[in-house]
Amino acid sequence: MSRCGSSQIALLAKAYNVPVLVCCETYKFCERVQTDAFVCNELGDPGDLVTNSKTEHLSNWRDLSSLNLLNLVYDVTPPDFVNVVITEVGTIPCTSVPVVLRVKNVETS
């Protein structure tokens, strides 16, 4: 998971054959598999989505009962969009993250 918008940037990079490098410390790796950004996410203030708007179309959005804004803080970037993960143990492909987790679990046991 990363800040909302990272997945779209990685998607565009893949479409234009630009490599995507992710810098992440291994303590952030976890065994939990997350398939989408809706199950476990933080919500930002929905008003932040419209405060920078130069138009007044959504100025009264809180009064519209049929409109609910959802401001997700994080999104999930699929591993297909990431070329390599740079960590303190070295540069690894996404497929090696479970191996790093296994080694860390053996070392802590």
Side-chain angles (χ1 to χ4, degrees), residues 14-27:
K14 183 174 177 77
Y16 286 96
N17 295 319
V18 174
V20 174
L21 311 175
V22 173
C23 297
C24 182
E25 297 166 302
T26 57
Y27 81 89

Side-chain angles (χ1 to χ4, degrees), residues 5-48:
S6 300
S7 182
Q8 289 86 6
I9 299 296
L11 173 68
L12 282 171
K14 183 174 177 77
Y16 286 96
N17 295 319
V18 174
V20 174
L21 311 175
V22 173
C23 297
C24 182
E25 297 166 302
T26 57
Y27 81 89
K28 294 182 180 179
F29 292 173
C30 72
E31 295 174 350
R32 184 177 46 162
V33 175
Q34 197 155 346
T35 56
D36 61 45
F38 296 105
V39 176
C40 181
N41 205 331
E42 293 180 26
L43 296 177
D45 180 16
D48 290 345

Side-chain angles (χ1 to χ4, degrees), residues 83-103:
N83 296 85
V84 73
V85 179
I86 301 170
T87 70
E88 72 274 9
V89 296
T91 303
I92 60 172
C94 290
T95 54
S96 294
V97 169
V99 175
V100 172
L101 281 170
R102 252 180 292 160
V103 170

